[in-house]
Amino acid sequence: MASPAVSFARNNQQRFLNELKDLLRIPSVSTLDEHKDDVRKAAEFVAAELRRIGMENVELISTKGHPLLYADWLHAPGKPTVLMYAHFDVQPPDPLDEWVSPPFEPTERNSNIYARGAVDDKGQLWMEVKALESLMNAFGGKLPINVKVIFEGEEEVGGESIADYVRKQKQKLKADFALVCDTELFAPNLPTLCVGLRGLVYTEIEAVGAKTDLHSGMYGGAAPNPFFALIEIISKLKDSKGKVLIPGFYSKVKAPTKDELKAWKRLPFSEEHYRKTEVGSKTLTGEPGFSVLYRTWARPTLEVHGMPGGFTAPGAKTVIPAKAAAKVSMRLVPNQDPEDILKRFSDYVKKLTPKGIDTKIKVWSKGPACVVSTDNEYVRAATAAMHDIFKKDTVFIRSGGSIPIVTDFQDVLKIPSVMMGFGLPDDNLHAPN
Ligand SMILES: [Zn+2]
């Protein structure tokens, strides 16, 4: 028999969906200035609902960027306190002409809602709010544990404000664990908890040759070209098999446990299906001897994202650019230290820089990998709750991406996160439809 809270949620599902659609209609794109008011509107929409269902101290917190949203309900003495996290901002919707239905007009097809943010992360945020409403209703206006809510509107643009806030408001946000709803199920109907995230060091190598752009007819043969310098450098950062060549890059890497590796082998995953449907390339790349899940979850990698500089407009211009840059990032795994990796990377780039060129390294972001322990009562409660609903055992997975706030919760607030998300692998999170 379902609990009264679950029954309430089931009986109100259509209303919950309609409310979610209203939230999805607000184009809260955090990276675009023209949507600044919409991000605030989304925050106000959620704030109003938190107030309506009985949450207290609901507060929109202004920041240098987009507002944060806080609320709490703290009347369960002796019971644990959860800090619930999600985000109400979304990625830009372009390319617009690839959408089957408009990104901010939620449309149902084959039992899915199509809209920007339907899963990342408004859908998941709304699940948290509706879980609170259902519990409040089932417990006569009370909650079974103490609850603090912190929602942000900057996740898709780096989450600087929440990182600051967590550092400044340790006492206010004090909790026993965090519930982070921004991940996915490994497969439809397969209860999943994410227990590991890779870290990230994102840099830009800036290369300067001549003091000004030069004509390749007059100076070609005498002037250094920063693009060739960058190509020389980049070609030596990784070998053709995918092994990163920065000295000492792998020295601190901590491998997953035997049990974890065994569990990954049991997951319903076909590398061939993944190649065809998710990657869509002729072949997969990466270090030999490691499975795809191992390579993307627990091996560090290095990628080049773009090389700004020189002439990129249609047509021809015979320029030897004075400056060029390469955006290079590294995904990190436990126990690689971002500072240490950044230093090894910088030293190596300096060493590889050819004569006549100056290189400088700009750092866009850096954060360590994080693996959360599964051996605590909060993870046990989460798996028990999912067993009630799915009637299946939970699988523990990692993610190749980064959720910096989870690291902050761990390092600053000293609390573990339960990463319980209900997205699906085919959700096209940051793409059309
Ligand atoms: Zn997200």
Side-chain angles (χ1 to χ4, degrees):
M1 212 185 72
S3 73
V6 171
S7 301
F8 180 86
R10 287 187 176 141
N11 293 335
N12 286 276
Q13 193 199 11
Q14 195 52 54
R15 170 171 64 84
F16 290 2
L17 277 180
N18 291 342
E19 294 164 351
L20 170 61
K21 287 181 187 173
D22 287 340
L23 176 60
L24 290 170
R25 286 190 186 96
I26 306 170
S28 51
V29 182
S30 49
T31 196
L32 299 174
D33 262 351
E34 65 259 40
H35 287 297
K36 205 167 185 321
D37 288 346
D38 293 316
V39 179
R40 176 166 281 272
K41 233 167 108 185
E44 281 164 357
F45 181 100
V46 178
E49 184 64 6
L50 286 170
R51 271 184 211 111
R52 189 190 69 80
I53 65 173
M55 292 298 290
E56 300 174 352
N57 300 310
V58 181
E59 180 190 359
L60 235 63
I61 301 150
S62 295
T63 71
K64 270 187 277 170
H66 299 295
L68 291 163
L69 176 52
Y70 174 87
D72 62 30
W73 190 93
L74 304 171
H75 308 293
K79 293 288 166 62
T81 301
V82 59
L83 179 63
M84 295 171 74
Y85 168 87
H87 62 94
F88 47 81
D89 63 320
V90 297
Q91 285 269 320
D94 48 286
L96 278 177
D97 53 359
E98 285 180 27
W99 282 80
V100 175
S101 50
F104 297 109
E105 187 40 62
T107 309
E108 285 187 49
R109 295 191 294 277
N110 5 309
S111 306
N112 291 317
I113 296 181
Y114 290 85
R116 171 59 87 232
V119 61
D120 182 19
D121 191 35
K122 287 173 174 168
Q124 311 229 40
L125 179 146
W126 207 244
M127 278 186 225
E128 290 191 324
V129 176
K130 295 293 108 176
L132 290 173
E133 180 182 353
S134 303
L135 286 163
M136 282 274 192
N137 201 278
F139 286 80
K142 292 183 173 160
L143 291 171
I145 61 172
N146 300 296
V147 173
K148 295 178 180 179
V149 169
I150 186 82
F151 292 155
E152 71 164 318
E154 278 179 18
E155 198 276 341
E156 305 291 5
V157 288
E160 242 176 80
S161 299
I162 196 169
D164 274 0
Y165 193 75
V166 166
R167 276 168 187 76
K168 284 188 196 130
Q169 298 288 344
K170 280 183 222 169
Q171 200 49 41
K172 182 168 173 182
L173 299 179
K174 192 172 155 29
D176 296 291
F177 73 106
L179 176 64
V180 173
C181 291
D182 197 11
T183 52
E184 55 186 38
L185 301 180
F186 188 79
N189 261 314
L190 184 61
T192 306
L193 289 183
C194 180
V195 296
L197 301 162
R198 286 198 290 189
L200 179 68
V201 172
Y202 199 119
T203 74
E204 186 158 342
I205 310 173
E206 298 171 314
V208 181
K211 64 173 191 209
T212 179
D213 284 1
L214 297 168
H215 189 294
S216 71
M218 281 184 309
Y219 299 96
N225 185 325
F227 271 116
F228 274 102
L230 288 171
I231 291 161
E232 239 182 88
I233 293 167
I234 288 167
S235 70
K236 289 175 187 135
L237 292 177
K238 202 159 96 168
D239 73 11
S240 60
K241 297 209 168 99
K243 186 178 173 222
V244 177
L245 301 174
I246 300 165
F249 185 74
Y250 295 98
S251 63
K252 300 268 164 59
V253 168
K254 186 177 169 212
T257 62
K258 280 206 184 90
D259 284 349
E260 207 172 6
L261 288 171
K262 245 196 255 161
W264 294 353
K265 284 212 176 97
R266 287 196 302 267
L267 291 171
F269 182 78
S270 146
E271 296 197 354
E272 185 52 15
H273 181 78
Y274 166 87
R275 178 189 68 76
K276 269 198 214 142
T277 60
E278 287 193 43
V279 181
S281 64
K282 288 208 180 88
T283 171
L284 294 173
T285 58
E287 292 177 284
F290 297 93
S291 69
V292 164
L293 293 182
Y294 196 146
R295 299 206 296 277
T296 56
W297 289 352
R299 290 296 288 173
T301 53
L302 180 146
E303 296 297 340
V304 181
H305 308 286
M307 295 183 63
F311 181 67
T312 55
K317 182 184 176 195
T318 49
V319 61
I320 300 175
K323 280 191 236 169
K327 292 176 191 280
V328 177
S329 84
M330 288 153 279
R331 293 279 172 183
L332 308 184
V333 301
N335 295 330
Q336 287 180 301
D337 169 20
E339 287 300 340
D340 173 61
I341 291 296
L342 179 62
K343 180 159 190 317
R344 287 173 190 279
F345 171 77
S346 308
D347 289 351
Y348 192 48
V349 167
K350 277 277 166 292
K351 210 179 123 201
L352 295 175
T353 303
K355 281 201 191 78
I357 299 287
D358 285 322
T359 49
K360 253 202 328 226
I361 288 166
K362 191 195 261 177
V363 181
W364 286 109
S365 72
K366 59 177 190 307
C370 141
V371 171
V372 296
S373 155
T374 53
D375 186 26
N376 62 57
E377 59 185 305
Y378 314 111
V379 167
R380 281 192 287 277
T383 56
M386 291 209 284
H387 196 272
D388 279 352
I389 301 299
F390 290 93
K391 313 287 177 219
K392 279 183 199 163
D393 287 339
T394 293
V395 298
F396 297 107
I397 65 163
R398 295 202 199 178
S399 161
S402 311
I403 308 180
I405 193 63
V406 171
T407 312
D408 286 339
F409 288 160
Q410 185 163 292
D411 293 351
V412 182
L413 299 182
K414 315 279 182 217
I415 56 173
S417 288
V418 174
M419 283 181 267
M420 182 193 266
F422 297 92
L424 290 171
D426 65 350
D427 278 337
N428 287 354
L429 286 189
H430 290 180
N433 307 308

Short mmCIF file of all heavy atoms in Angstrom, two decimals, residues 106-128:
data_model
loop_
_atom_site.label_atom_id
_atom_site.label_comp_id
_atom_site.label_asym_id
_atom_site.label_seq_id
_atom_site.Cartn_x
_atom_site.Cartn_y
_atom_site.Cartn_z
N PRO A 106 5.76 24.12 -23.31
CA PRO A 106 5.85 22.69 -23.02
C PRO A 106 4.77 21.89 -23.76
O PRO A 106 3.59 22.26 -23.74
CB PRO A 106 5.64 22.60 -21.51
CG PRO A 106 5.47 23.98 -21.00
CD PRO A 106 5.62 24.94 -22.11
N THR A 107 5.18 20.82 -24.41
CA THR A 107 4.28 20.03 -25.24
C THR A 107 4.47 18.56 -24.90
O THR A 107 5.60 18.10 -24.80
CB THR A 107 4.64 20.25 -26.73
OG1 THR A 107 4.69 21.65 -26.97
CG2 THR A 107 3.60 19.62 -27.64
N GLU A 108 3.36 17.83 -24.74
CA GLU A 108 3.47 16.40 -24.42
C GLU A 108 3.41 15.57 -25.70
O GLU A 108 2.51 15.75 -26.53
CB GLU A 108 2.33 15.99 -23.47
CG GLU A 108 2.57 16.46 -22.05
CD GLU A 108 1.53 15.93 -21.07
OE1 GLU A 108 1.26 14.71 -21.08
OE2 GLU A 108 0.99 16.76 -20.29
N ARG A 109 4.41 14.71 -25.86
CA ARG A 109 4.41 13.69 -26.93
C ARG A 109 4.96 12.41 -26.33
O ARG A 109 5.89 12.45 -25.56
CB ARG A 109 5.34 14.11 -28.10
CG ARG A 109 4.90 15.35 -28.85
CD ARG A 109 5.70 15.53 -30.13
NE ARG A 109 7.12 15.80 -29.92
CZ ARG A 109 7.63 17.01 -29.67
NH1 ARG A 109 6.83 18.06 -29.57
NH2 ARG A 109 8.93 17.17 -29.50
N ASN A 110 4.43 11.27 -26.73
CA ASN A 110 4.81 9.95 -26.19
C ASN A 110 5.16 9.98 -24.69
O ASN A 110 6.23 9.54 -24.29
CB ASN A 110 5.95 9.26 -26.95
CG ASN A 110 6.55 10.12 -28.04
OD1 ASN A 110 5.81 10.64 -28.84
ND2 ASN A 110 7.84 10.31 -28.09
N SER A 111 4.24 10.53 -23.90
CA SER A 111 4.41 10.60 -22.44
C SER A 111 5.66 11.33 -21.99
O SER A 111 6.16 11.08 -20.90
CB SER A 111 4.42 9.20 -21.82
OG SER A 111 3.29 8.50 -22.18
N ASN A 112 6.21 12.18 -22.83
CA ASN A 112 7.30 13.07 -22.39
C ASN A 112 6.81 14.51 -22.47
O ASN A 112 5.97 14.81 -23.31
CB ASN A 112 8.51 12.97 -23.33
CG ASN A 112 9.21 11.63 -23.22
OD1 ASN A 112 9.42 11.13 -22.12
ND2 ASN A 112 9.58 11.06 -24.36
N ILE A 113 7.37 15.36 -21.60
CA ILE A 113 7.16 16.80 -21.80
C ILE A 113 8.38 17.34 -22.52
O ILE A 113 9.51 17.14 -22.06
CB ILE A 113 7.02 17.55 -20.46
CG1 ILE A 113 5.77 17.09 -19.72
CG2 ILE A 113 6.93 19.06 -20.71
CD1 ILE A 113 5.57 17.82 -18.40
N TYR A 114 8.17 17.99 -23.67
CA TYR A 114 9.27 18.61 -24.40
C TYR A 114 9.28 20.10 -24.11
O TYR A 114 8.33 20.81 -24.40
CB TYR A 114 9.12 18.37 -25.91
CG TYR A 114 9.38 16.92 -26.26
CD1 TYR A 114 8.36 15.97 -26.18
CD2 TYR A 114 10.65 16.51 -26.64
CE1 TYR A 114 8.61 14.64 -26.48
CE2 TYR A 114 10.91 15.17 -26.94
CZ TYR A 114 9.88 14.25 -26.86
OH TYR A 114 10.13 12.93 -27.15
N ALA A 115 10.38 20.57 -23.48
CA ALA A 115 10.57 21.99 -23.21
C ALA A 115 11.98 22.13 -22.65
O ALA A 115 12.51 21.19 -22.05
CB ALA A 115 9.57 22.50 -22.18
N ARG A 116 12.58 23.30 -22.86
CA ARG A 116 13.89 23.53 -22.24
C ARG A 116 13.71 23.53 -20.73
O ARG A 116 12.85 24.28 -20.23
CB ARG A 116 14.47 24.87 -22.73
CG ARG A 116 15.71 25.31 -22.00
CD ARG A 116 16.87 24.32 -22.08
NE ARG A 116 17.69 24.52 -23.23
CZ ARG A 116 18.00 23.53 -24.08
NH1 ARG A 116 17.55 22.30 -23.90
NH2 ARG A 116 18.78 23.77 -25.11
N GLY A 117 14.47 22.72 -20.02
CA GLY A 117 14.39 22.67 -18.56
C GLY A 117 13.41 21.62 -18.03
O GLY A 117 13.28 21.45 -16.83
N ALA A 118 12.75 20.89 -18.95
CA ALA A 118 11.76 19.90 -18.50
C ALA A 118 12.40 18.92 -17.52
O ALA A 118 11.76 18.47 -16.57
CB ALA A 118 11.16 19.16 -19.69
N VAL A 119 13.68 18.60 -17.76
CA VAL A 119 14.36 17.77 -16.76
C VAL A 119 15.49 18.54 -16.07
O VAL A 119 15.64 18.45 -14.86
CB VAL A 119 14.87 16.46 -17.39
CG1 VAL A 119 15.86 16.73 -18.50
CG2 VAL A 119 15.50 15.60 -16.32
N ASP A 120 16.27 19.31 -16.82
CA ASP A 120 17.45 20.02 -16.27
C ASP A 120 17.16 21.49 -16.12
O ASP A 120 17.35 22.25 -17.04
CB ASP A 120 18.64 19.79 -17.19
CG ASP A 120 19.91 20.45 -16.68
OD1 ASP A 120 19.97 20.77 -15.48
OD2 ASP A 120 20.83 20.67 -17.48
N ASP A 121 16.70 22.00 -14.98
CA ASP A 121 16.50 21.18 -13.82
C ASP A 121 15.15 21.50 -13.19
O ASP A 121 14.87 21.16 -12.07
CB ASP A 121 17.66 21.48 -12.85
CG ASP A 121 17.75 20.51 -11.67
OD1 ASP A 121 17.44 19.33 -11.86
OD2 ASP A 121 18.08 20.96 -10.59
N LYS A 122 14.29 22.18 -13.99
CA LYS A 122 13.01 22.59 -13.41
C LYS A 122 12.13 21.39 -13.07
O LYS A 122 11.40 21.40 -12.08
CB LYS A 122 12.27 23.53 -14.35
CG LYS A 122 12.89 24.92 -14.42
CD LYS A 122 12.20 25.73 -15.50
CE LYS A 122 12.67 27.17 -15.51
NZ LYS A 122 12.20 27.85 -16.75
N GLY A 123 12.18 20.36 -13.92
CA GLY A 123 11.38 19.16 -13.65
C GLY A 123 11.78 18.56 -12.31
O GLY A 123 10.93 18.18 -11.49
N GLN A 124 13.08 18.50 -12.09
CA GLN A 124 13.57 17.88 -10.85
C GLN A 124 13.33 18.79 -9.65
O GLN A 124 13.02 18.34 -8.56
CB GLN A 124 15.05 17.57 -10.99
CG GLN A 124 15.34 16.84 -12.30
CD GLN A 124 16.19 15.62 -12.10
OE1 GLN A 124 16.02 14.87 -11.15
NE2 GLN A 124 17.13 15.41 -13.00
N LEU A 125 13.48 20.10 -9.87
CA LEU A 125 13.20 21.06 -8.80
C LEU A 125 11.74 20.94 -8.37
O LEU A 125 11.41 20.92 -7.18
CB LEU A 125 13.51 22.48 -9.31
CG LEU A 125 13.26 23.63 -8.33
CD1 LEU A 125 14.30 24.73 -8.54
CD2 LEU A 125 11.87 24.23 -8.48
N TRP A 126 10.86 20.85 -9.37
CA TRP A 126 9.44 20.77 -9.05
C TRP A 126 9.11 19.48 -8.31
O TRP A 126 8.23 19.44 -7.45
CB TRP A 126 8.61 20.93 -10.34
CG TRP A 126 7.25 21.50 -10.03
CD1 TRP A 126 6.05 20.90 -10.21
CD2 TRP A 126 6.99 22.79 -9.46
NE1 TRP A 126 5.04 21.73 -9.79
CE2 TRP A 126 5.59 22.90 -9.32
CE3 TRP A 126 7.79 23.86 -9.05
CZ2 TRP A 126 4.98 24.03 -8.79
CZ3 TRP A 126 7.19 24.98 -8.52
CH2 TRP A 126 5.80 25.07 -8.39
N MET A 127 9.84 18.39 -8.62
CA MET A 127 9.64 17.14 -7.87
C MET A 127 9.95 17.36 -6.40
O MET A 127 9.26 16.84 -5.53
CB MET A 127 10.59 16.06 -8.39
CG MET A 127 10.09 15.35 -9.62
SD MET A 127 11.23 14.00 -10.00
CE MET A 127 11.38 14.25 -11.74
N GLU A 128 11.01 18.12 -6.12
CA GLU A 128 11.35 18.38 -4.71
C GLU A 128 10.23 19.18 -4.04
O GLU A 128 9.80 18.85 -2.94
CB GLU A 128 12.68 19.15 -4.62
CG GLU A 128 13.89 18.31 -5.01
CD GLU A 128 15.22 18.98 -4.65
OE1 GLU A 128 15.33 20.21 -4.75
OE2 GLU A 128 16.15 18.25 -4.29
#
